Amino acid sequence: MISTTVFSTVSVLCFQPSLYAGKPEKQRPNIVYIMSDDHSMQTISAYGYGLNETPNIDRIADNGVLLRNNFVTNSISGPCRAVVLTGKFSHKNGFRDNQAKTRFDGSQQTFPKLLQNAGYNTAVIGKWHLGSTPTGFDYYCVHTGQGTYYSPVMIEPDGKHTYNGEYATCLTLEKSLEWLDSVDRSQPFCLMMHFKAPHRNWMPAPDKMELYEDMEFPLPETFYDDYDERQAAKEQKMSIDKDMRLDWDLKVSGIESQAKGMNIEAELSRMTDDQREVFDKVYQKVSEEYRTSGLEGDALAEWKYQRYMKDYCKVISSVDDMVGKMLDYLEENDLLDNTIVIYTSDQGFYMGEHGWFDKRFMYEESLHTPFLISYPDGIRFAGKELSCMTQNIDVAPTLLDFAGVDIPSDIQGESLKPVLTGKKSDVRDAIYYHYYEYPLPHGVKKHYGVRDERYKLIHFYNDIDTWELYDLDKDPHELHNLIDDPEYADVKDRMMRKLHELQVQYEDFNPESE
Ligand code: SGN
Ligand code: CA
């Protein structure tokens, strides 16, 4: 699986490990970076929301550290992936949105390339979503675009392969273990295992179809938010009630198609007959329930919410199983202690808060993304929780730091090694955010902003020109925009200054030009 060019680099490095490692080869950690797609903090049991159980993902926190205030810089897939690879904001790495014309410039510096140059074996398996062919990896096996849940088509160094009858979450794990079995263990490895799940349209695996069917999920406090004082929130198109599709998202059959370019039949045709039989058994009942119940208004919105939560949690349960299999593999192969295992998501997600699904906004649910890390040889904590502000620009420098590789000065994130090893309590006093994808697909206006431990300032600068200010201590759900409140005039001034300071620090000099 390892290309000849890389083999020759590796063999040169084998004779001069100290040149790159700075410490004995044995001690350089392996890395298993697990990232799913759209997995909210609210649906990882270690975060304590009580919605579902993820016993395997929780094992990582039990064995290490859970970050409670880990944020993204731009809450959608491609941009987040580019940020993770480069340690730089979207305006620096050039990948600002998910539009078809946006492609990641694979010639730029990334942390997998730096690790590869230092002798690491590297691979990315699962979702990629960056348009261009992966660079910096000895092996890759990635979905085309968003990928599909069933019978996925994967791009590998030798071309495209269709995995008929496979379920994407399981295939990602199988391919990952296959690669781990094949790597030369005399060198450390870095595996990026990227699940497509739980991305929309939340297609469960056959063994999970019935899970949660009898469960009633609690309605979030803000489900019926009226978006008063928040124009951008009022004008989005990511409402469970209005924008979620009965056929494509909720798998209701026997109704007039609501799918505009999103075709449930195409996805169902990727299943084997056996898989389809299990699907039909559950979803014909669901469809029947919808057709005969005559639900409308709030009752229908709440029915949609329940269906959404069930399907979303079903696909997560498969992810959790695969994380468990990966941890078991590392344990059985005596690799767990010397491997940095991270579980995270490309961004957070709304589980009905504000009445929404999807992400994009700089509001708490989609600004956060889960982050759990264990590395028993290097992080001597178990079950520790940290609430300092961390961000996905920090992944690259943190992993380089643990690997003993110099962190290039143009990387914008901070190494989290000092906080993860108890040497420091934080790495920054505020975070910067900038989102660019408008109007499609969810009508969320472009915005940038700053958040510190207590306050958040946001500027929606395109289409409308509005500012929002929140006191997160007093208003954790961000329902009261304080921008014109005289009592908060000082806070507003201070946050405006902080915003400007961060735009200068990160060189986002002309933020409204994109
Ligand atoms: C698809 C989804 C959207 C989602 C984007 C981006 N529609 O277009 O709901 O916001 O992906 O998601 S779908 O019904 O066709 O799946 S991201 O995670 O890749 O950024
Ligand atoms: Ca995503």
Side-chain angles (χ1 to χ4, degrees):
M1 303 275 184
I2 298 166
S3 72
T4 16
T5 17
V6 175
F7 247 134
S8 55
T9 324
V10 169
S11 50
V12 170
L13 294 175
C14 284
F15 295 108
Q16 307 167 301
S18 57
L19 256 183
Y20 295 89
K23 50 185 175 175
E25 193 61 48
K26 240 174 53 202
Q27 288 174 21
R28 299 169 79 194
N30 302 303
I31 297 163
V32 176
Y33 175 86
I34 311 172
M35 182 160 71
S36 48
D37 190 0
D38 293 359
H39 193 174
S40 60
M41 237 168 50
Q42 304 92 298
T43 48
I44 293 181
S45 36
Y47 278 90
Y49 287 79
L51 292 172
N52 61 338
E53 292 302 321
T54 51
N56 292 299
I57 296 171
D58 295 1
R59 275 162 72 187
I60 302 172
D62 293 345
N63 213 16
V65 177
L66 174 149
L67 300 182
R68 191 157 279 278
N69 281 314
N70 186 54
F71 303 107
V72 295
T73 64
N74 177 3
S75 188
I76 45 169
S77 167
C80 289
R81 292 160 203 278
V83 164
V84 166
L85 290 172
T86 59
K88 296 175 186 172
F89 280 86
S90 307
H91 62 275
K92 285 284 179 188
N93 66 47
F95 200 100
R96 293 176 175 80
D97 57 38
N98 279 340
Q99 298 301 298
K101 63 177 190 327
T102 313
R103 301 182 90 70
F104 182 66
D105 170 10
S107 68
Q108 67 186 298
Q109 168 184 285
T110 63
F111 87 82
K113 279 188 194 171
L114 294 166
L115 290 179
Q116 198 181 39
N117 290 340
Y120 271 71
N121 290 308
T122 58
V124 59
I125 297 173
K127 185 166 173 180
W128 174 246
H129 206 201
L130 288 169
S132 51
T133 305
T135 57
F137 297 99
D138 301 328
Y139 175 66
Y140 53 87
C141 174
V142 294
H143 287 283
T144 49
Q146 289 283 9
T148 59
Y149 276 100
Y150 280 90
S151 300
V153 180
M154 308 299 286
I155 305 169
E156 293 172 64
D158 64 349
K160 277 189 191 171
H161 298 273
T162 304
Y163 288 88
N164 282 320
E166 289 267 9
Y167 184 67
T169 307
C170 302
L171 180 71
T172 298
L173 189 267
E174 281 159 28
K175 284 288 182 185
S176 297
L177 296 188
E178 227 174 72
W179 182 74
L180 286 181
D181 268 341
S182 77
V183 288
D184 168 10
R185 292 277 166 72
S186 67
Q187 299 293 321
F189 58 80
C190 170
L191 166 68
M192 301 186 83
M193 179 165 83
H194 293 177
F195 294 111
K196 173 204 163 49
H199 192 274
R200 196 179 178 190
N201 69 336
W202 317 294
M203 290 290 288
D207 64 326
K208 304 292 181 186
M209 296 274 184
E210 309 229 20
L211 201 66
Y212 299 110
E213 278 302 311
D214 296 328
M215 167 112 176
E216 172 91 12
F217 288 89
L219 204 65
E221 253 177 75
T222 59
F223 188 73
Y224 291 112
D225 191 355
D226 61 4
Y227 316 119
D228 190 30
E229 304 162 357
R230 289 153 292 149
Q231 190 182 347
K234 198 174 284 166
E235 295 179 9
Q236 51 50 54
K237 292 192 170 26
M238 44 192 259
S239 143
I240 292 177
D241 188 18
K242 298 190 183 68
D243 304 303
M244 196 167 261
R245 303 196 183 276
L246 282 163
D247 49 358
W248 168 247
D249 292 312
L250 305 182
K251 305 152 193 83
V252 173
S253 57
I255 52 166
E256 198 183 322
S257 173
Q258 301 193 320
K260 288 183 192 140
M262 300 177 268
N263 188 351
I264 185 80
E265 287 308 323
E267 184 73 34
L268 295 177
S269 71
R270 309 187 73 83
M271 290 177 160
T272 62
D273 290 349
D274 290 350
Q275 291 167 341
R276 182 66 195 259
E277 202 182 313
V278 189
F279 175 89
D280 283 345
K281 195 171 154 238
V282 174
Y283 289 92
Q284 277 178 4
K285 219 167 115 196
V286 172
S287 304
E288 183 70 15
E289 185 184 303
Y290 169 76
R291 290 196 303 261
T292 56
S293 63
L295 291 173
E296 49 184 48
D298 290 355
L300 179 56
E302 289 178 31
W303 185 84
K304 289 180 181 174
Y305 165 75
Q306 293 297 335
R307 291 304 327 158
Y308 160 50
M309 292 299 288
K310 290 180 209 295
D311 287 353
Y312 184 95
C313 291
K314 288 177 193 186
V315 295
I316 283 169
S317 182
S318 297
V319 170
D320 188 65
D321 287 354
M322 297 308 119
V323 169
K325 285 185 197 288
M326 173 56 77
L327 296 176
D328 291 347
Y329 176 93
L330 295 173
E331 208 161 4
E332 283 154 18
N333 286 276
D334 207 15
L335 290 164
L336 201 56
D337 286 351
N338 195 34
T339 299
I340 299 173
V341 179
I342 291 173
Y343 183 84
T344 186
S345 170
D346 59 344
Q347 14 68 204
F349 214 67
Y350 294 92
M351 311 309 314
E353 298 89 354
H354 305 286
W356 295 338
F357 65 103
D358 215 66
K359 49 260 178 178
R360 299 163 193 275
F361 279 106
M362 198 192 163
Y363 301 134
E364 290 295 270
E365 293 81 358
S366 48
L367 178 62
H368 277 90
T369 200
F371 197 99
L372 304 90
I373 179 167
S374 71
Y375 170 29
D377 280 354
I379 300 175
R380 300 193 185 278
F381 292 122
K384 174 124 180 146
E385 190 173 313
L386 296 175
S387 54
C388 56
M389 289 184 289
T390 57
Q391 211 167 4
N392 56 354
I393 37 168
D394 302 332
V395 171
T398 302
L399 293 177
L400 292 170
D401 200 1
F402 274 119
V405 176
D406 287 344
I407 302 168
S409 60
D410 60 350
I411 282 193
Q412 296 182 303
E414 303 290 333
S415 168
L416 301 180
K417 188 176 169 188
V419 292
L420 292 169
T421 52
K423 303 216 163 52
K424 264 173 86 171
S425 58
D426 54 39
V427 291
R428 56 172 65 77
D429 61 6
I431 58 136
Y432 180 59
Y433 182 86
H434 195 161
Y435 167 81
Y436 305 81
E437 191 172 72
Y438 180 79
L440 289 172
H442 287 289
V444 177
K445 297 174 200 307
K446 299 181 185 189
H447 56 291
Y448 53 74
V450 58
R451 182 204 192 274
D452 69 11
E453 270 165 12
R454 173 154 181 194
Y455 301 103
K456 187 187 291 180
L457 177 73
I458 312 176
H459 184 204
F460 292 94
Y461 63 86
N462 88 294
D463 196 25
I464 55 174
D465 177 12
T466 57
W467 290 82
E468 296 180 4
L469 178 70
Y470 297 100
D471 181 341
L472 299 171
D473 274 5
K474 293 196 176 149
D475 176 25
H477 300 312
E478 300 160 287
L479 302 175
H480 306 294
N481 180 7
L482 303 167
I483 199 72
D484 295 321
D485 187 330
E487 274 186 32
Y488 282 84
D490 289 349
V491 173
K492 176 177 154 186
D493 282 355
R494 191 164 53 71
M495 293 304 278
M496 287 279 187
R497 280 199 302 278
K498 191 69 201 179
L499 175 65
H500 180 68
E501 187 188 309
L502 290 181
Q503 286 177 329
V504 170
Q505 179 187 333
Y506 295 128
E507 302 183 333
D508 196 5
F509 291 130
N510 205 356
E512 296 176 25
S513 64
E514 290 289 338

